[in-house]
Amino acid sequence: MVVVRELFPLVGVDVALFCVDDDGLKVLLVKRAEDPYARHWALPSGVLKPHLDDSLMAAARRVLAHKVSVELPHVAEVSTFSGPTRDPRGWSIATLFYALLPKDKINALVRNKVEAVQWVSATSTRHRLAFDHEEQLQAALRALRSRVEGDVLPLHLLPEKFTLTQLQKVCEAILGRALDKSAFRRRLKGSTDLVELDEYERGPQRPAQLFKAREGFTF
Amino acid sequence: MVVVRELFPLVGVDVALFCVDDDGLKVLLVKRAEDPYARHWALPSGVLKPHLDDSLMAAARRVLAHKVSVELPHVAEVSTFSGPTRDPRGWSIATLFYALLPKDKINALVRNKVEAVQWVSATSTRHRLAFDHEEQLQAALRALRSRVEGDVLPLHLLPEKFTLTQLQKVCEAILGRALDKSAFRRRLKGSTDLVELDEYERGPQRPAQLFKAREGFTF
């Protein structure tokens, strides 16, 4: 197999699955059941199966569906990690994707072929991750933040209907800093991705209008 | 080999090499010498050689050095194209990079293992490109524009010493639209990437101050 690796690198996908809960931005870690790095925490990852996958992104979706039973969250490519030393099995390529899961779907996770799963703070994982996954997590965070700093709203992290305050809190959790409310509301005014609903959330404060993402919205 | 492809996809790199000359933003095309797509125009591309390459980016640099004798231009990853149908040889992965070449190095190109090379307008190539290279070119253009729309200066496309007018022209060529001179100069004031020189370019107008990129600048 080592000889084959010199001709054919190992090809796989890694996924940084993010959600935002009341404690901030979280990323999903799995405890690996198998070598290499058995019993180490890692991003969900898997080997490309050309007979099953139509693309690397399809492989990422299959890995998520298989390992933690998450179907069809929003998936976007970050970049590809490659080289002779990042995997003890030999020359390897791993294309990293990030995926976004709404808070109300967090509890649906089950595990399969991993020893354990946990959501940890994305900005202070406190675990030494397998392979180059720490570096990958940082790259996924940069990619996510760069989109939110730009003109894109992370609506895939919100439930189907949400208030503008909830949206601001999700953006703040991603960026790691507070946003000025009136500047944020002005930015939202120009967005064609938000659809106003004639529905209101009741709470201790005055009722807050609900919004949803426009049909076909992609991050 | 077809059977092997079902286990081991073909892994390669493609490079969109850009420069800016007086006619605008150009991209380098090569006429392929070998099948598949022999005698079709394409982006420079090559197969990963794990025994030679330390990473996919190293493979991209090797391909450029080998096919068109360009050494060490600035190279950045765009994204990865993958699937069972994009290459007639079977399931394949191609990681796309863009590379930037200063105008004064354009003439250094030689060709090797390709029938011909040409610089064409990046925004209207008028050629049907091999594989999915037309789609790749559009992705490379979007990535380049998005960085220049952001806060990054494309200094790698300029000669070692340049005027601010030359810098503005390069940005305009990439973005495909005119920029307001005073707004552009204000933006440059905040940049830590530019170093003022005590040198001036003489011309028909009043002498223009020359600048260079700061040591260690990366795009």
Side-chain angles (χ1 to χ4, degrees):
Chain A
M1 213 50 178
V2 172
V3 174
V4 172
R5 279 285 95 78
E6 284 176 14
L7 282 171
F8 303 109
L10 187 71
V11 177
V13 292
D14 299 328
V15 186
L17 178 62
F18 292 113
C19 77
V20 172
D21 69 9
D22 293 340
D23 296 327
L25 184 67
K26 300 291 181 72
V27 67
L28 186 79
L29 298 183
V30 300
K31 196 176 222 176
R32 291 175 59 83
E34 291 167 17
D35 274 326
Y37 291 101
R39 290 172 304 286
H40 282 65
W41 291 99
L43 301 176
S45 64
V47 172
L48 173 72
K49 297 187 174 170
H51 60 291
L52 289 180
D53 304 319
D54 272 349
S55 63
L56 289 167
M57 190 178 281
R61 289 183 190 280
R62 177 180 52 75
V63 165
L64 280 180
H66 183 68
K67 291 215 168 170
V68 290
S69 287
V70 174
E71 295 277 357
L72 292 175
H74 178 70
V75 177
E77 183 181 334
V78 178
S79 60
T80 298
F81 294 75
S82 61
T85 57
R86 55 173 300 283
D87 187 311
R89 289 167 288 187
W91 221 106
S92 70
I93 290 171
T95 298
L96 169 66
F97 294 85
Y98 70 71
L100 303 179
L101 191 69
K103 185 180 157 186
D104 53 334
K105 302 241 172 83
I106 292 180
N107 295 324
L109 292 186
V110 299
R111 64 190 166 81
N112 190 5
K113 280 190 77 178
V114 292
E115 286 205 347
V117 298
Q118 64 171 333
W119 289 99
V120 301
S121 164
T123 49
S124 57
T125 55
R126 292 181 299 117
H127 294 284
R128 286 198 60 178
L129 304 185
F131 305 103
D132 50 6
H133 287 192
E134 182 60 40
E135 188 190 340
Q136 293 199 20
L137 174 58
Q138 297 308 319
L141 272 174
R142 278 196 303 276
L144 181 60
R145 285 177 173 157
S146 150
R147 298 229 183 152
V148 174
E149 289 281 7
D151 254 348
V152 178
L153 297 172
L155 304 183
H156 296 286
L157 284 167
L158 289 151
E160 195 193 338
K161 299 174 183 180
F162 52 84
T163 67
L164 298 186
T165 302
Q166 288 173 324
L167 175 55
Q168 182 172 344
K169 279 191 176 155
V170 163
C171 289
E172 289 175 334
I174 292 170
L175 298 175
R177 60 182 170 85
L179 296 171
D180 177 71
K181 181 174 167 178
S182 53
F184 186 71
R185 295 286 165 106
R186 273 198 304 279
R187 174 182 158 189
L188 296 184
K189 279 233 170 77
S191 170
T192 54
D193 290 327
L194 287 176
V195 177
E196 277 185 59
L197 297 173
D198 194 18
E199 295 177 50
Y200 293 81
E201 191 190 62
R202 286 164 190 283
Q205 314 273 322
R206 61 176 181 154
Q209 190 173 9
L210 289 166
F211 290 76
K212 65 172 188 175
R214 72 163 163 76
E215 202 83 32
F217 167 77
T218 51
F219 188 73
Chain B
M1 212 49 180
V2 171
V3 174
V4 172
R5 278 286 95 78
E6 286 177 12
L7 282 172
F8 303 108
L10 187 71
V11 177
V13 292
D14 299 328
V15 186
L17 178 62
F18 293 112
C19 76
V20 173
D21 69 8
D22 294 340
D23 297 326
L25 183 66
K26 300 291 181 69
V27 66
L28 186 79
L29 298 183
V30 300
K31 196 177 224 176
R32 290 175 60 83
E34 291 167 18
D35 275 324
Y37 291 101
R39 291 172 304 284
H40 283 65
W41 291 101
L43 301 176
S45 64
V47 172
L48 173 72
K49 297 188 174 171
H51 60 292
L52 289 181
D53 304 318
D54 272 349
S55 64
L56 289 167
M57 189 178 283
R61 290 184 189 279
R62 177 180 51 75
V63 164
L64 280 179
H66 183 68
K67 291 216 169 171
V68 291
S69 287
V70 174
E71 296 278 359
L72 292 176
H74 178 71
V75 177
E77 183 181 334
V78 178
S79 60
T80 298
F81 294 75
S82 61
T85 58
R86 54 174 301 284
D87 187 312
R89 289 167 287 186
W91 221 107
S92 71
I93 290 170
T95 298
L96 169 66
F97 295 84
Y98 70 70
L100 303 179
L101 191 69
K103 186 180 156 185
D104 52 335
K105 301 242 172 83
I106 293 180
N107 294 324
L109 291 186
V110 300
R111 63 190 168 82
N112 189 6
K113 282 191 75 180
V114 293
E115 286 205 347
V117 299
Q118 65 172 335
W119 290 100
V120 301
S121 163
T123 49
S124 57
T125 56
R126 293 180 299 116
H127 295 283
R128 287 198 56 180
L129 303 185
F131 305 103
D132 51 5
H133 287 191
E134 182 60 39
E135 189 190 339
Q136 293 200 21
L137 173 57
Q138 297 308 320
L141 272 175
R142 278 196 303 276
L144 181 59
R145 284 176 172 158
S146 149
R147 298 227 183 152
V148 174
E149 289 282 6
D151 252 347
V152 179
L153 297 172
L155 305 183
H156 295 287
L157 284 167
L158 289 150
E160 195 194 338
K161 298 175 185 180
F162 52 84
T163 67
L164 298 185
T165 302
Q166 288 172 325
L167 175 56
Q168 182 172 342
K169 280 191 176 153
V170 163
C171 289
E172 289 175 335
I174 292 170
L175 299 175
R177 61 183 169 83
L179 294 172
D180 177 71
K181 181 174 166 178
S182 53
F184 186 71
R185 294 286 166 107
R186 272 198 304 279
R187 174 182 160 191
L188 296 184
K189 280 231 170 79
S191 170
T192 54
D193 290 327
L194 288 176
V195 177
E196 277 184 61
L197 297 173
D198 194 18
E199 295 176 49
Y200 293 81
E201 190 189 61
R202 285 166 190 282
Q205 315 272 325
R206 63 177 179 156
Q209 190 173 10
L210 288 167
F211 290 76
K212 66 172 186 176
R214 71 165 164 77
E215 202 81 33
F217 166 77
T218 51
F219 187 73

